[in-house]
Amino acid sequence: MTPELGQGILLVALGLTLWGVAAATAGGRTGRPALVESAQHAVVGVFALLTLAFALLVYAFLTFDFSVRYVALNTNLGTPFYYRITGVWGALEGSLVLWAWMLGLYSLIVVLGQRERARELYPWVLAVMLVVLTFFLLVMTVAAPPFTRLTPAPANGRGLNPLLEDTGMITHPIALYLGFTGFTVPFAFAIAALVTSRVGDTWITLTRRWTIIAWYFLSLGLLIGGWWSYHVLGWGGYWAWDPVENAAFMPWLTGTAFLHSVMIQERRRMLKLWNITLVILTFSLTMFGTFLTRSGVIASVHAFTQGTVGVFFLAFLALVVLASLVLLSWRWYALRAQGQLDSVVSRESAFLLNNLLLVAVTFTVFFGTVFPLLAEAVRGVKVSVGAPFFNQVNVPLFLGLVFLMGVGPLIAWRRASPENLRRNFLVPVALGAVGAAVFFLLGVRSALAVLALALTLFVAATIGLDVSRATRARLRAGESLFPALGGLLLRHNRRYGGFVVHLGILLIVVGVTGSQAWSVQRESTLAVGETTELAGYRLRFDGLRANEESNHFKVVGRFSVSRNGSPPALMEPTKKFYPQETTPIAGVDYWLGFWEDLYLVLGDFTRDGRQATVKVQVNRLVTWIWIGGFVLTLGAALAILPERRKP
Amino acid sequence: MKPKFVFGGLVIVLALAYLIYSGVTQSAVYFVTPSELTAAPVAGKAYRLGGLVTPGSLSWEPKTLDLRFVLTDGKSTVAVRHKGTAPDLFGEGRGAVVEGSWAPEGYFKATLIMAKHSEEYQAPADGEAGYRELMRSLQAPQ
């Protein structure tokens, strides 16, 4: 029964969204409240139906209902309970259900929260949200139906892709999808603003917080993805410029650009056209990213399904871009700027440059991702541009962005006087220069590493300077230290939340610089009892052990590891063999540390267990990336809170 | 718009174009077959070379981590040397893609080996049997 019931639910939901789009559009045109109310009911109804469909799919997974094709493909009787639930979004069809459900949730929150605040925009916002929902429901009913029946139902399923058997499987996709779907709300407001010609500041004010919420989740998703990659994939890295990573990174970049350029529109009424374009671009990039990851156009480590889904996404993407361009040209006149750029040395121009760099990074990532496709189509040659291309082109741009992170928040609006520059930047520049000299004397010989660390110090100093000034002003007004600091964070939470985000990024910069510049590794083949050494660690191979787990078979390498003569401890990197997989999966063993991680991957071994090859890595400062990521999300959360100004 | 902003913008766009151009010319890696490579090998240039691992050509020295094999496309062959273990799917008679450069001494020096995955996500015909056998050999008293 489940397959038919599920399909029925999705069809009814599709009918409801279609009705909702019609009602919302008519309501927007005629201004009749009854129509808008009807569209609202459609949103509530669709959300309820999607919740039901999602629950039904979870139920099918929990009860091993292999008469549902998707269940049979993505779980089996040996799958542990936990992964039976996460397996629901382990492949395309279930991901779409989760995705659509989240979109329904966002739409519901819009209905509950924004009704009163944006009367004119509201019907159109609903219409856009419902159009996007319609698209996802179309994909789910036509191209990738999650509830297809499999006859006869097999006795056992194929099982989840073993790489997905990880705790990251619950947090990573959920955060990432909440980020991706979250950008639909700002997009809906932007389109509504264009349609109603209310391109002034209302939509920007209403949209900014939605954008930070989406940005917060997308950041979290990217960070968890990096962590997952580091501790599961067994190559010792956290970012590979894989097309799928790039797909999630591009909307993050343009979203970041928007969060900065919004401030110029709020303050100086400039960049209206630019801001609306950034929001549309960000949403389009989320669709493009989904197309990339779900179409199989580009080979990627993420083995996702191919099929007709790609065509659907491409068509929808084309529709979004075309409709947006038409609307933009239609409202061209209203989008002209009122403010004027006065000087190159000003906050406006620092923010503009920041936007330019972020879009430039987006463009190079886009270019590098699709270049192999273009080259093959145009010149007929097969070319790949890998990590070297992205690093070579983007590192200078990233360093520029770090520099602007120090300049932007402190430089004066309109035109910075020499006095303003001296007061705000003399000390940070001096600190950065001294830092560069110290790093050089300490033996750092990579110019890029010295530059990155010096810039980090410079930016940290600007933040320190600003915070200490603001705190002292409050102390003079009679507050004591901690209430003063707390007051800064809570009453000016946008500005200081932003600073906390910047601090997080600085920590990430240090972590990336350190891990790129100072990590070491070696690969050794050891017979039982033999030892190898790397960077003060001493490893002795004690043999192999084999374990039968519930759904796979595991070979465990046993190594006694000591550091500088300390008593040895056991480390056990593994290789896991899954019946449904041709390739064994590496199980990394690691010691995470503040300054460095010891990271072991078991390679080749002989079947008698007397000899094994092990890859030993000492990865430096990687932990700073995770700490920085945590700080960054704290800052973003702070910036989401409503501003509490003094009465 | 004041001329100096237009000029500044132009400078930035040109700098970016140069960055991308030099990035592509320096780090784009061309995919070639053994025939294409042996026809005109350029020493030191980065290539991706794809072919079948010739049966009987594979040698692996665990102690020195020297891996040697011959890739073929049926017409030409290229000797490949690599330092380090091969990926799990790698084997004689199977497809492989190696990334690296042509050494003047007349062999391909691989820095990265990628075994060709089959597109299908499913168990190999002998997967279950092979892994049972492996388990028995490992669990036998040593």
Side-chain angles (χ1 to χ4, degrees):
Chain A
M1 255 316 277
T2 306
E4 289 74 22
L5 188 60
Q7 274 169 343
I9 291 174
L10 292 179
L11 273 174
V12 175
L14 178 63
L16 259 185
T17 57
L18 285 171
W19 163 251
V21 172
T25 319
R29 292 176 69 97
T30 61
R32 277 173 55 194
L35 284 169
V36 182
E37 209 157 291
S38 188
Q40 261 165 235
H41 294 319
V43 168
V44 178
V46 169
F47 177 70
L49 287 171
L50 284 169
T51 309
L52 207 60
F54 188 54
L56 197 63
L57 197 57
V58 172
Y59 177 75
F61 266 81
L62 289 181
T63 55
F64 297 117
D65 185 351
F66 298 129
S67 70
V68 180
R69 184 171 173 273
Y70 182 72
V71 176
L73 288 180
N74 290 290
T75 198
N76 62 26
L77 296 171
T79 309
F81 178 78
Y82 179 84
Y83 300 121
R84 266 186 268 157
I85 296 177
T86 60
V88 172
W89 53 87
L92 172 69
E93 289 85 347
S95 293
L96 287 171
V97 177
L98 180 62
W99 196 299
W101 180 79
M102 285 173 175
L103 206 54
L105 182 65
Y106 275 115
S107 310
L108 187 72
I109 299 174
V110 168
V111 167
L112 296 177
Q114 305 287 341
R115 201 168 5 177
E116 297 306 319
R117 298 179 62 194
R119 283 211 167 276
E120 308 276 338
L121 299 176
Y122 182 65
W124 297 104
V125 172
L126 280 191
V128 176
M129 299 292 298
L130 282 161
V131 165
V132 183
L133 270 168
T134 307
F135 165 70
F136 275 96
L137 282 163
L138 259 179
V139 175
M140 281 192 287
T141 42
V142 181
F147 291 105
T148 307
R149 180 181 272 284
L150 188 63
T151 40
N156 197 357
R158 194 172 61 179
L160 186 64
N161 182 341
L163 282 175
L164 302 182
E165 287 201 4
D166 184 80
T167 46
M169 191 54 203
I170 188 153
T171 41
H172 171 66
I174 288 183
L176 209 60
Y177 295 175
L178 277 175
F180 261 48
T181 50
F183 281 118
T184 315
V185 185
F187 171 73
F189 273 96
I191 295 296
L194 284 174
V195 171
T196 57
S197 196
R198 298 188 168 259
V199 290
D201 299 335
T202 328
W203 82 272
I204 283 270
T205 324
L206 292 171
T207 303
R208 195 194 59 88
R209 246 165 87 206
W210 282 106
T211 313
I212 302 186
I213 290 171
W215 187 90
Y216 166 85
F217 283 117
L218 188 53
S219 308
L220 205 61
L222 285 167
L223 287 160
I224 300 169
W227 162 247
W228 195 352
S229 176
Y230 186 65
H231 85 288
V232 173
L233 292 183
W235 59 290
Y238 38 81
W239 188 263
W241 297 108
D242 180 83
V244 171
E245 297 168 350
N246 294 345
F249 190 40
M250 287 188 279
W252 186 88
L253 288 164
T254 52
T256 309
F258 174 72
L259 286 174
H260 288 90
S261 66
V262 143
M263 292 183 238
I264 311 189
Q265 179 165 351
E266 282 175 334
R267 180 82 180 220
R268 298 289 322 277
R269 302 178 164 259
M270 289 158 57
L271 304 185
K272 279 184 191 171
L273 176 65
W274 176 247
N275 279 327
I276 227 159
T277 311
L278 274 181
V279 170
I280 293 169
L281 187 63
T282 305
F283 176 74
S284 307
L285 284 171
T286 63
M287 285 296 135
F288 177 70
T290 320
F291 161 70
L292 270 189
T293 51
R294 296 302 178 190
S295 66
V297 169
I298 289 176
S300 151
V301 292
H302 298 64
F304 292 150
T305 15
Q306 305 187 13
T308 49
V309 180
V311 183
F312 270 74
F313 273 94
L314 209 56
F316 187 63
L317 183 62
L319 177 79
V320 166
V321 172
L322 260 175
S324 304
L325 284 179
V326 169
L327 279 171
L328 277 175
S329 54
W330 187 31
R331 297 298 181 204
W332 194 264
Y333 189 75
L335 288 165
R336 283 181 321 164
Q338 282 150 324
Q340 252 269 15
L341 199 54
D342 295 322
S343 163
V344 178
V345 189
S346 65
R347 190 175 295 183
E348 291 92 319
S349 96
F351 275 46
L352 263 183
L353 198 57
N354 142 298
N355 264 244
L356 216 58
L357 287 180
L358 282 166
V359 172
V361 176
T362 314
F363 179 72
T364 58
V365 173
F366 180 82
F367 182 81
T369 310
V370 301
F371 181 72
L373 285 179
L374 288 178
E376 194 168 356
V378 178
R379 289 168 54 205
V381 288
K382 283 199 171 169
V383 179
S384 79
V385 290
F389 167 80
F390 292 104
N391 289 333
Q392 189 180 342
V393 181
N394 285 332
V395 166
L397 301 175
F398 284 144
L399 291 179
L401 281 167
V402 174
F403 174 68
L404 289 174
M405 224 158 65
V407 175
L410 262 59
I411 198 168
W413 287 102
R414 286 174 170 271
R415 184 185 301 276
S417 63
E419 167 54 23
N420 166 277
L421 293 179
R422 197 165 50 241
R423 189 174 120 84
N424 285 324
F425 298 112
L426 190 62
V427 176
V429 167
L431 259 175
V434 170
V438 170
F439 291 129
F440 186 78
L441 290 176
L442 283 175
V444 183
R445 285 296 177 270
S446 151
L448 275 180
V450 170
L451 189 60
L453 294 175
L455 282 174
T456 306
L457 265 181
F458 162 74
V459 180
T462 59
I463 295 175
L465 197 65
D466 185 272
V467 172
S468 82
R469 270 189 203 139
T471 315
R472 267 180 298 167
R474 283 173 170 260
L475 290 181
R476 274 198 298 278
E479 284 185 52
S480 49
L481 183 60
F482 288 104
L485 275 173
L488 273 189
L489 285 175
L490 290 177
R491 286 195 204 286
H492 301 280
N493 53 323
R494 267 183 73 180
R495 181 173 175 83
Y496 289 95
F499 277 146
V500 175
V501 171
H502 284 181
L503 276 179
I505 291 179
L506 292 182
L507 290 170
I508 294 175
V509 169
V510 173
V512 172
T513 308
S515 61
Q516 295 293 319
W518 300 308
S519 294
V520 287
Q521 66 166 40
R522 82 180 298 170
E523 212 172 354
S524 315
T525 302
L526 303 173
V528 171
E530 283 187 328
T531 57
T532 184
E533 280 182 43
L534 180 70
Y537 294 93
R538 192 181 167 84
L539 280 87
R540 192 186 69 216
F541 177 49
D542 293 341
L544 295 177
R545 193 159 58 76
N547 271 356
E548 178 94 71
E549 306 284 329
S550 76
N551 61 345
H552 66 275
F553 167 70
K554 189 159 91 171
V555 175
V556 183
R558 312 177 67 210
F559 296 87
S560 302
V561 182
S562 61
R563 170 144 213 227
N564 300 331
S566 65
L570 189 66
M571 283 182 86
E572 300 192 316
T574 61
K575 229 173 202 198
K576 293 179 269 187
F577 296 81
Y578 286 78
Q580 74 265 32
E581 270 285 293
T582 45
T583 318
I585 309 285
V588 182
D589 199 2
Y590 44 75
W591 290 347
L592 303 182
F594 187 71
W595 297 108
E596 62 186 32
D597 303 341
L598 178 66
Y599 189 99
L600 297 190
V601 188
L602 184 64
D604 203 32
F605 51 82
T606 54
R607 292 220 166 174
D608 62 4
R610 306 298 300 168
Q611 181 174 291
T613 308
V614 63
K615 196 200 263 176
V616 191
Q617 299 187 14
V618 176
N619 297 328
R620 303 235 153 92
L621 296 179
V622 174
T623 301
W624 289 48
I625 297 175
W626 319 129
I627 298 174
F630 179 69
V631 172
L632 180 150
T633 52
L634 272 188
L638 198 61
I640 293 171
L641 293 176
E643 291 255 281
R644 266 167 283 175
R645 298 240 181 237
K646 272 184 186 172
Chain B
M1 226 10 135
K2 293 178 185 176
K4 61 179 169 186
F5 293 116
V6 176
F7 179 72
L10 206 65
V11 168
I12 292 169
V13 168
L14 283 177
L16 182 69
Y18 173 74
L19 264 179
I20 291 183
Y21 174 76
S22 66
V24 166
T25 47
Q26 282 171 38
S27 39
V29 177
Y30 285 84
F31 187 95
V32 291
T33 61
S35 306
E36 286 164 350
L37 182 68
T38 46
V42 181
K45 188 181 170 182
Y47 292 106
R48 257 184 200 200
L49 174 70
L52 275 183
V53 181
T54 313
S57 72
L58 184 64
S59 81
W60 163 239
E61 221 29 79
K63 279 293 164 191
T64 55
L65 302 172
D66 273 324
L67 182 72
R68 295 184 183 196
F69 53 92
V70 174
L71 278 185
T72 177
D73 57 0
K75 284 171 271 181
S76 301
T77 58
V78 174
V80 182
R81 294 189 197 174
H82 176 67
K83 203 100 181 141
T85 44
D88 293 300
L89 269 185
F90 184 81
E92 293 188 340
R94 290 190 177 175
V97 175
V98 296
E99 193 170 306
S101 57
W102 181 256
E105 295 81 15
Y107 63 89
F108 192 83
K109 195 164 175 259
T111 49
L112 180 73
I113 298 183
M114 291 160 282
K116 278 280 284 176
H117 264 265
S118 78
E119 303 291 313
E120 290 292 303
Y121 167 69
Q122 59 180 18
D126 66 336
E128 186 79 12
Y131 112 97
R132 292 285 154 203
E133 192 249 336
L134 176 67
M135 181 176 75
R136 271 194 300 277
S137 75
L138 279 165
Q139 283 178 334
Q142 289 158 11

